[in-house]
Amino acid sequence: MEREGDNLGNVFNLLTVFEDSRASHKQQAKDKPSSKSCSASSRVGQLPPFSPGLLGVKTKDPSSEKEQHMSKKPQALMEPFFDMTPGPWESESLKDKWKPGHRPVSTRLLNSLKNKISSGGWRKSCEVTVNTKKQLEEPEENKIVRELLETEQTYVSRLHLLDQVFFEELLKEARSSKAFSEDVVKLIFSNISSIHQFHSQFFLPELQRRVKEWAAVPRIGDVIQKLAPFLKMYSEYVKNFERAAELLAIWTEKCPPFQEVITRIQNSEVSANLTLQHHMLEPVQRIPRYELLLKEYVEKLPPDAPDQADAQKALDMIFSAAQHSNAAISEMERLQKLWDVYQRLGLEDDIVDPSNELLQEGPIQKISFRHSSTMERYLFLFNNMLLYCVPKVIQVGAQFQVRTRIDVAGMKVRELNDVEFPHSFLVSGKQRTLELQAQSQEEMNTWIQACQQAIDQIGKRHETFKAAVQGPEGDTEEHQLKSEELGIRAPQWVRDKMVTMCMRCKTPFNALTRRRHHCRACGYVVCAKCSDYRARLKYDDNRLNRVCLECYVFLTGNLLPEDKEDKKKGILEKESSKVSEQSLMCSFLQLLGDKWGKSSSRGWCVIPRDDPLVLYIYAAPQDMKAHTSIPLLGYQVTSGPLTDPRTFQLQQSGLVYSFRAESEELRGQWMKAIDRAARGRSFIEPEGELSD
């Protein structure tokens, strides 16, 4: 700037000296009479010659280097001003005309130079350099915003091609030729019209407006925040994409009019020699592109930028939309896997459900309990069940036959330390227990981890209450296991060759009179005499099964077998677990007072849905028979003593039953339920129910 100021001052000094000299010359001309034939050129020729001294710089002998530099300084100072484009009236460059000793051409040239300097025209070349420098130093976030706008414009043109060209032309052909259905076209393009309308009428105009106002409002996050929720409409398009690609391939191959329309558009200039499949992929890739650009934009923003908070929030919303789209893709893949399994199993309706998720599948070896050999089997592990299948010899239609379905709820899995069968593991479920052998230790670990993961997930999703049957003191660990699982879970059978005598009566086995049998409740190997009993097992849909005497006594509560004739169940013979699952109200209550035979005891209380006017009291949630029951009709429900807000009482004709709930809220629910039953109402509101 100092150099530019010096140059400007020197030029004005030059013009001032020139005008003073011209004024002096005119005065002399007035004093001396001149000839009329004197031309303008001769008058100009009488001007004093130009020299560097006119710029206020003394000219010295250019003998030394310093003096030469000083003598050339005026010319060097004038060089920036001679870089301007010469006018059409100039026949040679100004730089050549202003050589030392060369006289100026005319007054008009100097006046033109003065006007250019005054108007600032001399700064044009300098401004080009400054603007170029500024462009090189453009902030990175501005470049990203410009890239976002440019890619959005290109993307909208692709959407227009899909919606207004491919889609509309195929619809017209379908209506005119009737060679293919309009529904096929709509299935292929899904909701592309909605996506196109959103981007062309809302998203792109908002971006253009904001970029136009960028100097005043350098923000983009608020615009994306406002429109990002609408990007979830992409999930429908993405979910349908694979099916759309299949339909496109099928109809392109079998329908010439369909293929002709697509080929004609693909060969046109507007399609840029790209296929329809390529254009259809653009919407699938667009949301991840938004996420990448916005993430880079947030990283490049200065920490104190006004758009920092909005941009971060917009990035989170774009990420949510991307996750929504990814979830749609995962859902599509999951359903496709289910359909494949559904076909391989012979389209059995009770096996595959759309809510299922296939976790793992593969061949496995099943260890035989009787022959100590292995058989080839196949497993399908879902999130809620394990299918134990047998490969079909003639695979016409179905490839496998389902032998057993084991529910994941209640299933257990563990490794077996078996020398004879390495890499073996045990799967114990309510329906069946299997000993399986994998090909390697790694494969075995994979199956165990997958099964355990499914067990953990279903355990978190469902709240269940555990059996709380308390055995007598001195019970062994075996009896504690029975009290929780006997008859509920399929047992692990003891292999025949592992024993030589009955595991109950200790009588040796032989091939004729003492054959081996398995108790279906505990899995023990017993003789015919010890297993000549039948009991209903819950894991086998309560069908009668062969059991040993000990299991029979435990499961039925009878010391001796009952007659085979059907016997009508007593009023208290209601299984607690089944009643609780279909109940209006169930929970533990503390039974207070002498009425219960002791000062205080705890009971599992249930009001069944199929018998809503009776309160059943069990010793434990898994009891097969209720301890007692109370008909609720006609009872009055009152609060207990003020000292304990959790208690309430049932009163009728001098009878008083006192209860204590685990919380005041639970007490209120019980009082409401019992009061409705006491007044003869057969139901309560759903919000009054207690789910365990």
Side-chain angles (χ1 to χ4, degrees):
M1 292 300 296
E2 292 180 359
R3 180 179 178 86
E4 294 172 0
D6 293 341
N7 293 345
L8 185 62
N10 292 333
V11 172
F12 273 106
N13 291 337
L14 170 64
L15 297 177
T16 303
V17 171
F18 174 78
E19 290 177 353
D20 293 343
S21 174
R22 182 172 178 79
S24 175
H25 178 71
K26 287 182 179 180
Q27 184 65 31
Q28 293 176 5
K30 290 180 180 179
D31 297 337
K32 296 180 181 181
S34 58
S35 174
K36 294 182 179 180
S37 62
C38 184
S39 63
S41 59
S42 62
R43 290 197 299 269
V44 174
Q46 295 173 4
L47 293 176
F50 170 76
S51 67
L54 295 176
L55 295 179
V57 180
K58 296 181 180 180
T59 305
K60 296 183 180 181
D61 184 9
S63 58
S64 65
E65 183 178 355
K66 181 176 180 181
E67 291 174 349
Q68 290 177 359
H69 175 72
M70 293 300 295
S71 65
K72 295 180 181 180
K73 184 176 180 180
Q75 182 180 359
L77 291 174
M78 292 299 295
E79 286 180 1
F81 306 105
F82 294 120
D83 291 339
M84 295 181 295
T85 305
W89 47 271
E90 296 177 292
S91 59
E92 56 181 328
S93 66
L94 295 176
K95 186 174 180 180
D96 294 336
K97 295 177 182 180
W98 284 89
K99 290 181 181 180
H102 195 288
R103 304 176 69 87
V105 177
S106 66
T107 308
R108 183 169 55 178
L109 174 62
L110 293 178
N111 290 334
S112 174
L113 178 61
K114 181 179 179 181
N115 293 334
K116 289 182 179 180
I117 294 175
S118 303
S119 63
W122 63 278
R123 295 184 180 272
K124 290 183 180 179
S125 61
C126 184
E127 287 178 354
V128 173
T129 306
V130 173
N131 291 337
T132 304
K133 187 175 182 181
K134 288 183 179 179
Q135 186 176 2
L136 294 176
E137 297 178 356
E138 182 183 10
E140 293 293 330
E141 61 269 21
N142 293 9
K143 296 180 182 179
I144 298 171
V145 172
R146 188 169 63 251
E147 181 181 357
L148 176 62
L149 177 60
E150 293 172 355
T151 56
E152 184 68 16
Q153 292 171 337
T154 304
Y155 178 58
V156 169
S157 65
R158 292 285 175 86
L159 292 177
H160 181 272
L161 176 64
L162 286 172
D163 180 30
Q164 299 298 317
V165 182
F166 279 106
F167 184 38
E168 291 297 331
E169 291 296 325
L170 286 172
L171 278 181
K172 291 180 182 178
E173 182 66 25
R175 292 165 185 160
S176 60
S177 67
K178 305 295 182 181
F180 52 93
S181 172
E182 294 183 32
D183 293 336
V184 173
V185 181
K186 293 177 181 178
L187 284 174
I188 291 175
F189 290 92
S190 186
N191 62 333
I192 193 65
S193 298
S194 300
I195 296 175
H196 175 221
Q197 183 179 12
F198 166 72
H199 283 272
S200 61
Q201 298 183 15
F202 296 97
F203 201 84
L204 179 58
E206 286 288 336
L207 284 179
Q208 291 173 330
R209 181 181 61 82
R210 182 52 56 89
V211 172
K212 186 177 180 180
E213 301 171 353
W214 189 259
V217 188
R219 304 165 69 91
I220 200 70
D222 56 338
V223 174
I224 298 178
Q225 278 187 56
K226 182 172 65 175
L227 300 175
F230 295 96
L231 296 178
K232 291 185 178 180
M233 70 173 69
Y234 276 81
S235 61
E236 180 180 347
Y237 183 89
V238 173
K239 188 187 301 184
N240 184 67
F241 179 76
E242 185 172 348
R243 177 60 177 162
E246 293 177 359
L247 287 174
L248 180 61
I250 292 172
W251 284 94
T252 302
E253 182 179 354
K254 75 176 186 179
C255 184
F258 187 91
Q259 181 183 13
E260 182 181 350
V261 173
I262 294 178
T263 304
R264 173 168 50 83
I265 300 175
Q266 288 179 164
N267 294 335
S268 64
E269 183 179 354
V270 69
S271 185
N273 294 325
L274 297 176
T275 64
L276 175 56
Q277 290 88 337
H278 179 89
H279 295 304
M280 290 173 62
L281 190 61
E282 288 281 337
V284 178
Q285 300 172 337
R286 189 55 185 168
I287 292 184
R289 179 63 174 168
Y290 285 142
E291 185 179 2
L292 290 176
L293 284 174
L294 198 55
K295 184 177 181 180
E296 186 178 0
Y297 174 75
V298 171
E299 291 176 352
K300 298 298 183 181
L301 277 177
D304 56 346
D307 200 21
Q308 182 65 243
D310 285 339
Q312 183 60 54
K313 188 175 180 180
L315 176 60
D316 295 339
M317 297 178 72
I318 292 292
F319 177 77
S320 176
Q323 291 296 102
H324 199 267
S325 180
N326 293 337
I329 296 176
S330 301
E331 178 69 9
M332 178 183 63
E333 294 175 349
R334 184 186 68 83
L335 292 176
Q336 184 62 44
K337 289 181 181 179
L338 280 179
W339 175 250
D340 293 341
V341 174
Y342 190 55
Q343 291 180 315
R344 292 160 67 189
L345 295 176
L347 306 179
E348 296 189 26
D349 295 338
D350 60 338
I351 295 299
V352 178
D353 186 90
S355 62
N356 294 342
E357 180 182 357
L358 180 64
L359 301 180
Q360 187 167 331
E361 64 170 290
I364 203 74
Q365 296 293 320
K366 190 259 182 184
I367 302 174
S368 173
F369 293 113
R370 296 193 179 278
H371 306 291
S372 296
S373 59
T374 60
M375 297 168 286
E376 184 180 355
R377 296 292 184 262
Y378 202 91
L379 298 181
F380 291 94
L381 176 62
F382 295 87
N383 59 318
N384 62 342
M385 63 182 174
L386 175 68
L387 299 183
Y388 171 69
C389 305
V390 178
K392 284 189 173 183
V393 178
I394 302 176
Q395 297 183 356
V396 178
Q399 300 180 9
F400 303 98
Q401 179 183 359
V402 179
R403 282 286 182 86
T404 304
R405 168 179 171 167
I406 301 175
D407 293 337
V408 171
M411 188 173 74
K412 293 184 179 180
V413 59
R414 63 181 176 87
E415 183 179 357
L416 293 176
N417 296 320
D418 196 319
V419 178
E420 184 179 0
F421 299 99
H423 320 310
S424 60
F425 60 99
L426 178 74
V427 175
S428 175
K430 294 179 180 180
Q431 292 80 12
R432 188 170 179 180
T433 296
L434 302 171
E435 288 188 11
L436 306 171
Q437 183 184 27
Q439 295 294 330
S440 63
Q441 184 74 20
E442 182 181 0
E443 181 182 338
M444 181 197 70
N445 292 335
T446 301
W447 274 111
I448 292 177
Q449 292 173 4
C451 291
Q452 191 60 51
Q453 181 181 1
I455 293 170
D456 295 341
Q457 288 179 352
I458 206 167
K460 293 177 181 179
R461 289 197 300 266
H462 300 285
E463 294 182 0
T464 57
F465 56 89
K466 296 182 179 180
V469 178
Q470 300 296 330
E473 295 182 2
D475 276 355
T476 62
E477 182 179 354
E478 175 186 331
H479 287 89
Q480 293 176 0
L481 178 62
K482 284 183 179 181
S483 66
E484 295 181 358
E485 299 181 347
L486 193 64
I488 300 176
R489 176 189 302 279
Q492 178 186 3
W493 284 15
V494 179
R495 298 177 197 166
D496 287 356
K497 74 172 188 176
M498 300 300 293
V499 295
T500 59
M501 62 181 65
C502 175
M503 299 179 69
R504 293 302 184 189
C505 66
K506 308 298 187 294
T507 303
F509 292 117
N510 60 64
L512 297 178
T513 61
R514 294 287 178 179
R515 298 183 59 188
R516 290 174 172 83
H517 301 275
H518 278 89
C519 172
R520 267 59 174 179
C522 64
Y524 278 13
V525 180
V526 293
C527 63
K529 182 179 179 181
C530 291
S531 61
D532 193 20
Y533 307 96
R534 297 290 185 273
R536 298 186 183 277
L537 301 180
K538 187 176 180 180
Y539 75 82
D540 194 25
D541 295 332
N542 285 321
R543 287 193 287 262
L544 290 172
N545 282 266
R546 177 193 289 266
V547 295
C548 63
L549 177 60
E550 285 78 357
C551 292
Y552 175 81
V553 172
F554 181 85
L555 292 172
T556 63
N558 300 323
L559 296 179
L560 294 176
E562 297 179 354
D563 296 334
K564 294 183 179 180
E565 297 181 1
D566 291 339
K567 183 178 179 181
K568 186 177 181 180
K569 287 187 176 182
I571 191 173
L572 299 179
E573 294 183 23
K574 288 180 176 288
E575 295 183 27
S576 174
S577 58
K578 289 187 175 181
V579 173
S580 300
E581 291 175 357
Q582 300 294 330
S583 65
L584 297 174
M585 192 76 183
C586 64
S587 74
F588 279 109
L589 291 176
Q590 200 76 21
L591 315 178
L592 307 176
D594 297 333
K595 181 65 182 174
W596 307 105
K598 54 178 73 176
S599 59
S600 179
S601 60
R602 193 166 181 252
W604 179 259
C605 301
V606 182
I607 300 179
R609 190 178 295 274
D610 58 355
D611 194 5
L613 304 181
V614 180
L615 174 65
Y616 289 87
I617 302 175
Y618 295 83
Q622 291 288 347
D623 278 357
M624 305 296 290
K625 182 178 179 181
H627 175 70
T628 187
S629 64
I630 302 175
L632 298 175
L633 193 62
Y635 273 88
Q636 292 183 351
V637 187
T638 60
S639 300
L642 297 177
T643 55
D644 192 347
R646 296 177 300 166
T647 61
F648 64 94
Q649 294 179 337
L650 300 182
Q651 299 179 5
Q652 184 186 50
S653 302
L655 292 177
V656 179
Y657 297 95
S658 299
F659 301 89
R660 180 190 293 124
E662 295 181 350
S663 66
E664 293 185 41
E665 180 183 2
L666 188 58
R667 185 202 70 161
Q669 294 177 1
W670 271 109
M671 292 181 65
K672 183 178 180 180
I674 295 175
D675 181 65
R676 294 182 67 89
R679 290 187 283 114
R681 303 291 294 275
S682 60
F683 65 92
I684 63 174
E685 289 83 351
E687 59 268 21
E689 298 179 16
L690 174 67
S691 59
D692 280 76

